[in-house]
């Protein structure tokens, strides 16, 4: 959707939400995004700390 059409349709269906409500909605999304980012980093860090299985290490050794 083009920017012009988007701006035309945004005002047409105004459901009475104030600018403050919209800003607070963005804050909630930002918080959720931040929480998700922290959770993903935690899982990734845990994975990096796991030992490499011997069979996999042996296969990698055969490649070099």
């Amino acid at each position: 959707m083009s920017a012009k059409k988007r701006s035309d349709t945004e005002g047409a269906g105004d459901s009475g939400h104030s600018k403050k409500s919209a800003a607070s909605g963005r804050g909630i999304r930002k918080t959720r995004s931040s929480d998700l980012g922290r959770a993903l980093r935690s899982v990734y860090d845990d994975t990096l700390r796991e030992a490499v299985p011997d069979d996999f290490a042996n296969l990698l050794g055969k490649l070099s």
Side-chain angles (χ1 to χ4, degrees):
M1 180 180 287
S2 72
K4 172 139 178 58
K5 283 190 173 196
R6 210 176 9 242
S7 66
D8 291 345
T9 58
E10 285 172 357
D14 190 14
S15 59
H17 293 311
S18 69
K19 288 182 182 181
K20 186 176 182 181
S21 294
S24 120
R26 282 190 294 273
I28 290 170
R29 282 190 296 245
K30 186 175 181 179
T31 300
R32 287 182 184 162
S33 177
S34 177
D35 291 344
L36 178 60
R38 274 193 294 276
L40 288 171
R41 276 190 294 279
S42 176
V43 169
Y44 179 75
D45 289 341
D46 291 346
T47 302
L48 289 178
R49 286 188 210 106
E50 290 181 8
V52 176
D54 292 334
D55 292 344
F56 190 68
N58 290 336
L59 286 172
L60 289 173
K62 291 178 182 179
L63 290 175
S64 55

